[in-house]
Amino acid sequence: MANTLLLGAQWGDEGKGKVVDVFSAEADIVVRYQGGTNAGHTIEVGGERYVLHLIPSGILHEGKTCVIGNGVVVEPFELVKEIRDLEQRGVAVRGRLLVSDRAHVVLPYHKALDAGLEHRAAADRRIGTTQRGIGPAYADKAARTGWRMGELLEDDWPETLRRRVEEKNRALRELDAPLVDAAALETAMREIVDFLRPYITDTVAALHEAVRCRRTILFEGAQGTMLDIDYGTYPFVTSSNSTAGGVCTGAGVPPRAIDRVIGVIKAYTTRVGEGPFPTELKDEVGEALRAKGREFGATTGRPRRCGWFDAVVARYSAAINGIDAWALTKLDVLDDIHPIRICVAYECDGRRMETVPACSRRLGRCKPVYVEFEGWRQPTVNVTRFQDLPAAARSYVKAVEDLTGLPAEILSVGPGRENTFRLTS
Ligand code: GDP
Ligand code: IMO
Ligand code: MG
């Protein structure tokens, strides 16, 4: 099978975890390449619900190897908790999970800085981060003051930790944020470091070997294109490259190792956190989408902002990522909505626009131009073939394909593994 990249084409929470889980069946290795515990990927299997933050969603398929690549920022306490939780639920992780020795470490001071910076920011500069320390950890990486997982294997890590805590406490003091207790952190870390020792390895070499042996690799994106640090709605973005380019830098594989790209996209749009969102619905339709789609953050529990499908965003994502086909999720959430709208262009400062502007303030002034569709007003949740969908639902899927210029390869009409099917028509 071809090596596949699955990534979010909107503002995250498109249903990546669920689609990765479905594709994992055909893969040998599943790789996360960016982000950290800001991600929350939900998978429902046999009535059980799993929310994964760091471990690739492929872990729920027996025998698959999972890799946390060098582009991920790893919170070691959270990682250990996730491993233990899975093992307690009968999912074997030891021996199947490799953690890059080049991945940067997220520690409590990063989280405290994340919270402190958000608290201090003026209301219009607040990002609404997940407060998982992601921005400060990537900032350390770029400033070359970061700390990599491999360094935890060196005997002198406690000294490094003490130095780091001292530096960071100075920054925390300036923010009036709670300080980190170096001694308590060191004691807690001893157990964590021992636990993680067998998992930390050179994943770049392991992936090169996998490519050489033609093992099938599935790359699992976190966040979404509009949260990418370069292509998203800056500064209301995350701190990594969640777009296709992030695979090469975040896993250490060459571009040719990716054979095809699947964009995961919801049949409508959501966003959690601050920043522009042209198709946002602040009315009862938005509330209906939130209620039916259970649109509450998998990581923070925050209500997600909901709105219509934005074809301008989808086309932009398709171009940046080289998307070959869509996995279109949550079609069932539109079951009771009538009429349904899709944004086909923006109007901004008296001009029609077909692309996403770089400037967030400008995007904030964009008014969506909509086309309207019939709702189907009947349940789709048990449908397993495209031809069994109501005619209006088929028309809606076709409209998404036409307006984005790409086929839908996968359709999802419910949260379970069984609510996903391939389009054969
Ligand atoms: P991710 O971050 O992209 O993996 O997405 P999340 O897990 O944060 O959010 C997606 C949510 O939608 C989860 O609660 C999934 O269980 C749920 N979900 C995924 N696909 C579908 C679908 O087709 N229909 C419905 N109703 N729920 C879905
Ligand atoms: P998954 O992988 C949705 C958002 C935050 C905030 C911004 C920056 O589950 O799709 P950060 O903590 O990364 O510094 O926050 O990005 N954000 C997400 N939104 N899904 C995610 O991940 C997200 N990860 C970060 O809400 O607006
Ligand atoms: Mg999520």
PDB file of all heavy atoms in Angstrom, residues 125-140:
ATOM      1  N   ARG A 125      -5.285  40.179  21.699  1.00  0.00           N
ATOM      2  CA  ARG A 125      -4.077  39.430  21.317  1.00  0.00           C
ATOM      3  C   ARG A 125      -4.085  38.025  21.918  1.00  0.00           C
ATOM      4  O   ARG A 125      -3.165  37.251  21.685  1.00  0.00           O
ATOM      5  CB  ARG A 125      -2.805  40.155  21.806  1.00  0.00           C
ATOM      6  CG  ARG A 125      -2.565  41.486  21.154  1.00  0.00           C
ATOM      7  CD  ARG A 125      -2.170  41.377  19.701  1.00  0.00           C
ATOM      8  NE  ARG A 125      -0.883  40.706  19.499  1.00  0.00           N
ATOM      9  CZ  ARG A 125      -0.338  40.468  18.309  1.00  0.00           C
ATOM     10  NH1 ARG A 125      -0.966  40.835  17.224  1.00  0.00           N
ATOM     11  NH2 ARG A 125       0.821  39.855  18.204  1.00  0.00           N
ATOM     12  N   ARG A 126      -5.083  37.743  22.713  1.00  0.00           N
ATOM     13  CA  ARG A 126      -5.160  36.426  23.346  1.00  0.00           C
ATOM     14  C   ARG A 126      -5.461  35.378  22.271  1.00  0.00           C
ATOM     15  O   ARG A 126      -6.323  35.590  21.425  1.00  0.00           O
ATOM     16  CB  ARG A 126      -6.291  36.440  24.382  1.00  0.00           C
ATOM     17  CG  ARG A 126      -5.933  35.740  25.654  1.00  0.00           C
ATOM     18  CD  ARG A 126      -6.848  36.149  26.793  1.00  0.00           C
ATOM     19  NE  ARG A 126      -6.322  37.275  27.546  1.00  0.00           N
ATOM     20  CZ  ARG A 126      -7.060  38.121  28.243  1.00  0.00           C
ATOM     21  NH1 ARG A 126      -8.368  37.985  28.291  1.00  0.00           N
ATOM     22  NH2 ARG A 126      -6.502  39.109  28.907  1.00  0.00           N
ATOM     23  N   ILE A 127      -4.757  34.255  22.317  1.00  0.00           N
ATOM     24  CA  ILE A 127      -4.896  33.244  21.261  1.00  0.00           C
ATOM     25  C   ILE A 127      -5.934  32.195  21.642  1.00  0.00           C
ATOM     26  O   ILE A 127      -6.538  31.570  20.782  1.00  0.00           O
ATOM     27  CB  ILE A 127      -3.505  32.626  20.979  1.00  0.00           C
ATOM     28  CG1 ILE A 127      -2.619  33.705  20.337  1.00  0.00           C
ATOM     29  CG2 ILE A 127      -3.586  31.409  20.065  1.00  0.00           C
ATOM     30  CD1 ILE A 127      -1.157  33.428  20.442  1.00  0.00           C
ATOM     31  N   GLY A 128      -6.145  32.064  22.947  1.00  0.00           N
ATOM     32  CA  GLY A 128      -7.052  30.990  23.372  1.00  0.00           C
ATOM     33  C   GLY A 128      -6.358  29.649  23.217  1.00  0.00           C
ATOM     34  O   GLY A 128      -6.920  28.697  22.678  1.00  0.00           O
ATOM     35  N   THR A 129      -5.096  29.581  23.670  1.00  0.00           N
ATOM     36  CA  THR A 129      -4.338  28.327  23.515  1.00  0.00           C
ATOM     37  C   THR A 129      -4.935  27.236  24.407  1.00  0.00           C
ATOM     38  O   THR A 129      -5.755  27.518  25.288  1.00  0.00           O
ATOM     39  CB  THR A 129      -2.845  28.495  23.911  1.00  0.00           C
ATOM     40  OG1 THR A 129      -2.756  28.596  25.334  1.00  0.00           O
ATOM     41  CG2 THR A 129      -2.204  29.696  23.253  1.00  0.00           C
ATOM     42  N   THR A 130      -4.456  26.037  24.213  1.00  0.00           N
ATOM     43  CA  THR A 130      -4.897  24.923  25.054  1.00  0.00           C
ATOM     44  C   THR A 130      -4.143  24.939  26.399  1.00  0.00           C
ATOM     45  O   THR A 130      -4.400  24.092  27.251  1.00  0.00           O
ATOM     46  CB  THR A 130      -4.628  23.576  24.358  1.00  0.00           C
ATOM     47  OG1 THR A 130      -3.215  23.488  24.108  1.00  0.00           O
ATOM     48  CG2 THR A 130      -5.382  23.464  23.039  1.00  0.00           C
ATOM     49  N   GLN A 131      -3.201  25.859  26.541  1.00  0.00           N
ATOM     50  CA  GLN A 131      -2.371  25.992  27.756  1.00  0.00           C
ATOM     51  C   GLN A 131      -1.618  24.700  28.073  1.00  0.00           C
ATOM     52  O   GLN A 131      -1.396  24.358  29.226  1.00  0.00           O
ATOM     53  CB  GLN A 131      -3.219  26.461  28.940  1.00  0.00           C
ATOM     54  CG  GLN A 131      -3.952  27.753  28.598  1.00  0.00           C
ATOM     55  CD  GLN A 131      -4.336  28.592  29.788  1.00  0.00           C
ATOM     56  OE1 GLN A 131      -4.119  28.221  30.928  1.00  0.00           O
ATOM     57  NE2 GLN A 131      -4.922  29.738  29.515  1.00  0.00           N
ATOM     58  N   ARG A 132      -1.197  24.029  27.016  1.00  0.00           N
ATOM     59  CA  ARG A 132      -0.417  22.802  27.185  1.00  0.00           C
ATOM     60  C   ARG A 132       1.087  23.059  27.019  1.00  0.00           C
ATOM     61  O   ARG A 132       1.858  22.122  26.856  1.00  0.00           O
ATOM     62  CB  ARG A 132      -0.868  21.729  26.190  1.00  0.00           C
ATOM     63  CG  ARG A 132      -2.290  21.235  26.398  1.00  0.00           C
ATOM     64  CD  ARG A 132      -2.458  20.655  27.802  1.00  0.00           C
ATOM     65  NE  ARG A 132      -3.733  19.982  27.981  1.00  0.00           N
ATOM     66  CZ  ARG A 132      -4.851  20.568  28.416  1.00  0.00           C
ATOM     67  NH1 ARG A 132      -4.862  21.852  28.711  1.00  0.00           N
ATOM     68  NH2 ARG A 132      -5.963  19.884  28.564  1.00  0.00           N
ATOM     69  N   GLY A 133       1.468  24.326  26.971  1.00  0.00           N
ATOM     70  CA  GLY A 133       2.905  24.663  26.909  1.00  0.00           C
ATOM     71  C   GLY A 133       3.492  24.555  25.513  1.00  0.00           C
ATOM     72  O   GLY A 133       4.725  24.584  25.344  1.00  0.00           O
ATOM     73  N   ILE A 134       2.629  24.466  24.499  1.00  0.00           N
ATOM     74  CA  ILE A 134       3.110  24.199  23.138  1.00  0.00           C
ATOM     75  C   ILE A 134       3.945  25.370  22.592  1.00  0.00           C
ATOM     76  O   ILE A 134       5.077  25.169  22.123  1.00  0.00           O
ATOM     77  CB  ILE A 134       1.907  23.910  22.200  1.00  0.00           C
ATOM     78  CG1 ILE A 134       1.036  22.769  22.762  1.00  0.00           C
ATOM     79  CG2 ILE A 134       2.373  23.636  20.778  1.00  0.00           C
ATOM     80  CD1 ILE A 134       1.735  21.459  22.994  1.00  0.00           C
ATOM     81  N   GLY A 135       3.395  26.582  22.662  1.00  0.00           N
ATOM     82  CA  GLY A 135       4.105  27.755  22.135  1.00  0.00           C
ATOM     83  C   GLY A 135       5.461  27.930  22.818  1.00  0.00           C
ATOM     84  O   GLY A 135       6.499  28.008  22.146  1.00  0.00           O
ATOM     85  N   PRO A 136       5.502  27.975  24.159  1.00  0.00           N
ATOM     86  CA  PRO A 136       6.799  28.139  24.839  1.00  0.00           C
ATOM     87  C   PRO A 136       7.790  27.004  24.530  1.00  0.00           C
ATOM     88  O   PRO A 136       8.995  27.235  24.449  1.00  0.00           O
ATOM     89  CB  PRO A 136       6.414  28.159  26.327  1.00  0.00           C
ATOM     90  CG  PRO A 136       5.021  28.744  26.322  1.00  0.00           C
ATOM     91  CD  PRO A 136       4.369  28.170  25.092  1.00  0.00           C
ATOM     92  N   ALA A 137       7.320  25.784  24.326  1.00  0.00           N
ATOM     93  CA  ALA A 137       8.250  24.680  24.024  1.00  0.00           C
ATOM     94  C   ALA A 137       8.838  24.846  22.618  1.00  0.00           C
ATOM     95  O   ALA A 137      10.054  24.684  22.424  1.00  0.00           O
ATOM     96  CB  ALA A 137       7.529  23.335  24.148  1.00  0.00           C
ATOM     97  N   TYR A 138       7.995  25.191  21.629  1.00  0.00           N
ATOM     98  CA  TYR A 138       8.537  25.420  20.278  1.00  0.00           C
ATOM     99  C   TYR A 138       9.407  26.687  20.258  1.00  0.00           C
ATOM    100  O   TYR A 138      10.348  26.778  19.473  1.00  0.00           O
ATOM    101  CB  TYR A 138       7.417  25.523  19.241  1.00  0.00           C
ATOM    102  CG  TYR A 138       6.893  24.173  18.771  1.00  0.00           C
ATOM    103  CD1 TYR A 138       5.592  23.772  19.033  1.00  0.00           C
ATOM    104  CD2 TYR A 138       7.712  23.306  18.034  1.00  0.00           C
ATOM    105  CE1 TYR A 138       5.105  22.544  18.586  1.00  0.00           C
ATOM    106  CE2 TYR A 138       7.242  22.083  17.585  1.00  0.00           C
ATOM    107  CZ  TYR A 138       5.937  21.707  17.863  1.00  0.00           C
ATOM    108  OH  TYR A 138       5.478  20.498  17.415  1.00  0.00           O
ATOM    109  N   ALA A 139       9.070  27.665  21.109  1.00  0.00           N
ATOM    110  CA  ALA A 139       9.902  28.881  21.177  1.00  0.00           C
ATOM    111  C   ALA A 139      11.298  28.508  21.671  1.00  0.00           C
ATOM    112  O   ALA A 139      12.308  28.958  21.121  1.00  0.00           O
ATOM    113  CB  ALA A 139       9.250  29.910  22.097  1.00  0.00           C
ATOM    114  N   ASP A 140      11.381  27.657  22.675  1.00  0.00           N
ATOM    115  CA  ASP A 140      12.681  27.189  23.176  1.00  0.00           C
ATOM    116  C   ASP A 140      13.446  26.449  22.083  1.00  0.00           C
ATOM    117  O   ASP A 140      14.656  26.601  21.937  1.00  0.00           O
ATOM    118  CB  ASP A 140      12.481  26.226  24.353  1.00  0.00           C
ATOM    119  CG  ASP A 140      12.506  26.956  25.698  1.00  0.00           C
ATOM    120  OD1 ASP A 140      12.734  28.173  25.701  1.00  0.00           O
ATOM    121  OD2 ASP A 140      12.289  26.293  26.741  1.00  0.00           O
TER     122      ASP A 140
END
